[in-house]
Amino acid sequence: MKMPLGWAKEFAKIDCTPQEYADRMTMSGSKVETYACEADGIKNVVVGRILSIVPHPDSDHMVVCQVDVGEAQPVQIVTGASNLKEGDLVPAALHKSLLPGGKEIRRGKLRGVESNGMLCSLAELGLTKHDFPNAIEDGIMVLDPAEPEGRCAPGTPIAEALGLDDVSVEFEITPNRPDCLSVRGLGRETAATFGVPFLDHVPAVRPGHGDVNALLRVDIENPQLCYRYAGAVVENVRVKPSPRWMRERLRLCGVRPINNLVDITNYVMLEYGQPMHCFDYKYVNGGHITVRNARAGEEIETLDGVERKLSEEMLIIADDKGPIAVAGVMGGEFSGVYEHTTSVVFESAMFNGPSVRTTAKKLGMRTEASGRYEKGLDPNGCRRCLERALELVQLLDAGDVVNGVVDVCTRLRDERRVPLRTDAVNRLLGTQLTRGEMVAILEPLGFVMDGDDVIVPSERWDVERDCDIAEEVARYIGYNKMPSTIMRGVAAARPTERQTFREKMMNALTGYGLYEIESFSFYSRKAFDAVHLPEDDALRTAVVISNPLGEDTSIMRTTALPSVMENIARNYNARAAECAVFEDATVYLPKGGPDVLPDERERVVLAAYGAGWDYLGMKGVVEQWLACAGVREVRFTRNAEGKSYHPGRCADVWADGEKLGTVGEIHPAVLANYGVKPRVVAAEIDMETLFAHRGATPVFRALPKHPAITRDLALVADETVPAADIEERIRKAAGKALESVTLFDVYTGERIAAGKKSLAYNLVMRADDRTLTDEEAEEAVKKVLHSLAELGIVLRS
């Protein structure tokens, strides 16, 4: 929100520098982003009076002017403009002057004739014809002779003469303070901040002619989206430029002046924060305005010349023929004010904020009006704003006001009362203020005391309870003056067990020599083909992003393997001799339609290539990592499906009958897709399942007091029997006495029958309370051999 400081001083008589104003307003809660004066970019440019004009001796299009600039002697300036005459008042940029944009002017010679400066045009002063309608655009700017002589006397700084010397202050207005999206609202804040009276203006409309009810009817069909609609009629309008003071204020607020009637609506919007619109009465068919939802198939051409299709949830303003405006957003093509306009309808309405925002977004046309409506304005102020517009019409002689106002109101903002509990406010702020001190802060802000209750102004919908009252008090005491207090109570913020487990497991992987990576959670469907995911695989069903950054980021990932493989390929292409990485990734598995949130699962993916990294190496890392998690009963079963992995070098990882993930060597075809030549091994572990099967917290266990008995078993089994199945049977058959079992040799060759393999296991048996006997050890071995015989496994002879 931009506001001229001079305009704010109409509501609060203050005397301070712009810097002091910015500092004090920021400390009282109205944050000033920046401030600037238009004159800051103009130096040594003054008003000059043309004394004489003679042709240039060596140019057909230039003239030599003697210019009175308020000094003892006139200055000579050469110009090529043809619109000047003796006696004209013009902007004269003297030697070593500065113009907007950093352009510097110095004396010099033009075709051999000395020129001590330059006469300026509108554009050279950073202005347009909208700012000064009487000036021309393709010549030197000639000041209006109707201006008071003192303001445009020769030698007067041009910033002062043209009204460029006011300061524009830009505020950052938070969404809960739409009342400060107005000069009046900021004026009240200014008065309270500086401790001066707030000089509010009450609009006064002189009696006009006729009766507005004979010319205008208003109906509201959807009171849920339109709370109030007030309209007035002005006849015999006289469309012309606005007076200079109004144009200056609009320009400083960042609004382009257009004509007196349109400028009045913009001026009132800036002054009171209430968007307004001005309709040409002859285009309001039937003199009947209806606020309703758009009907199927309706379209409207808006003021910006774009044909827009309307949908049924959009609120529009219509006459007897159809839409003439999109409510709260923009008027239709024929709803403006033109040179041939004779009568106008002024509108001051209040629409539902969320509805306006939704409509503006769907139409792709967020405007100044929609930006204000969507924050929630005060319907109680509609009538006042309309009366202010009519007052300005009479002040500017812009037309003849028709008596009366058509005011259809379906909802006003009820009076809100908040108890003033001084103890609660002091407890929140850590202060010891009296009730009188709090009242002295609240009343200048528009709050009214009624006994122990605070009556909240209707525009302050953000004040509802004790903490809101405390905020108002605190910002005018000064946050920098608030007493420092020690926090009461004990903050017991600790990581959850799940967070502690995750940190432990990630640290373990880092300790194994892997580097953690982090990639985007979205990619394209091409990633499924890159990792050889079958066409009927459930993982190909992904959440589609409705507004993706591009085709390569159009879906949420269902597997993180493509993300990790891209990193592997990037490192390989960067000529990294070896690489070992992992990612704690989130995958998104759809659970239903597009309106149902997906199942977000945490998956850890490991991948590596280079020296020392093969299938057994990665399997060893996974085994050690699972042991770190306390998962003891881990089984690896062959995975012959392959998919993204080599079908002969891939295994699924299980714990207590539930699958944890997969470990294996990446399929050569997948490596070819990513342009990677060395073998790559990888593993995928579901962290949710791993957390569910984690072991208990390790406890101290004393070293064994009794000796162990070891036995080596050389077994002959079919090549198709997995070693993991053999180990499982050994553990179950040996019973509690078995401390460990280790496979230390695998042999196939001439001394073993075809289709057979020899596996050598070392069994360690021990009892905690006594020394095992040889008989007990032999009995355990017999049970093991008996169980293995069921699979056709025998001792090697």
Side-chain angles (χ1 to χ4, degrees), residues 295-498:
R295 299 189 178 109
E298 282 190 320
E299 297 182 350
I300 184 174
E301 185 174 345
T302 47
L303 279 171
D304 55 4
V306 178
E307 189 77 24
R308 302 183 187 276
K309 294 183 179 180
L310 303 173
S311 54
E312 296 181 28
E313 74 277 5
M314 296 180 182
L315 191 70
I316 64 167
I317 299 166
D319 59 13
D320 287 345
K321 287 191 176 180
I324 59 174
V326 182
V329 183
M330 186 180 288
E333 179 188 15
F334 299 108
S335 67
V337 176
Y338 309 94
E339 293 182 359
H340 54 78
T341 299
T342 58
S343 298
V344 296
V345 177
F346 278 99
E347 161 204 281
S348 179
M350 184 56 55
F351 307 109
N352 176 268
S355 172
V356 171
R357 177 172 175 80
T358 300
T359 299
K361 287 187 67 177
K362 285 190 175 182
L363 295 178
M365 50 184 302
R366 194 168 188 268
T367 62
E368 183 75 21
S370 68
R372 292 170 183 268
Y373 275 123
E374 66 189 29
K375 293 176 176 61
L377 300 180
D378 178 20
N380 299 25
C382 288
R383 180 72 175 256
R384 178 186 58 209
C385 297
L386 185 58
E387 291 173 350
R388 175 58 170 160
L390 298 178
E391 180 187 41
L392 289 172
V393 167
Q394 294 178 338
L395 178 65
L396 305 187
D397 190 29
D400 300 328
V401 176
V402 177
N403 287 322
V405 170
V406 177
D407 188 1
V408 180
C409 183
T410 62
R411 185 190 307 178
L412 286 176
R413 189 166 283 170
D414 296 333
E415 180 184 273
R416 177 178 294 162
R417 290 171 173 264
V418 179
L420 178 57
R421 303 192 302 163
T422 55
D423 56 338
V425 173
N426 281 324
R427 185 172 63 252
L428 287 168
L429 300 181
T431 56
Q432 295 180 348
L433 299 174
T434 65
R435 181 180 184 279
E437 289 172 322
M438 294 182 187
V439 171
I441 291 174
L442 295 173
E443 287 184 337
L445 293 171
F447 297 91
V448 177
M449 298 303 303
D450 183 11
D452 292 332
D453 290 343
V454 177
I455 300 178
V456 180
S458 60
E459 64 266 21
R460 291 299 308 274
W461 58 267
D462 59 308
V463 178
E464 297 179 333
R465 48 191 180 273
D466 292 336
C467 58
D468 300 321
I469 296 292
E471 181 183 0
E472 297 300 305
V473 172
R475 64 192 184 97
Y476 280 99
I477 292 175
Y479 292 111
N480 56 332
K481 298 178 182 177
M482 297 292 293
S484 299
T485 58
I486 299 175
M487 291 181 61
R488 297 182 179 89
V490 178
R494 300 185 182 90
T496 64
E497 185 180 2
R498 179 73 176 79

Side-chain angles (χ1 to χ4, degrees), residues 517-522 557 560 562-564 566-567 570 583 585:
I517 63 173
E518 187 172 352
S519 56
F520 291 121
S521 296
F522 34 75
R557 64 185 176 190
S563 304
V564 177
E566 286 182 6
N567 189 278
R570 194 175 301 115
E583 180 175 4

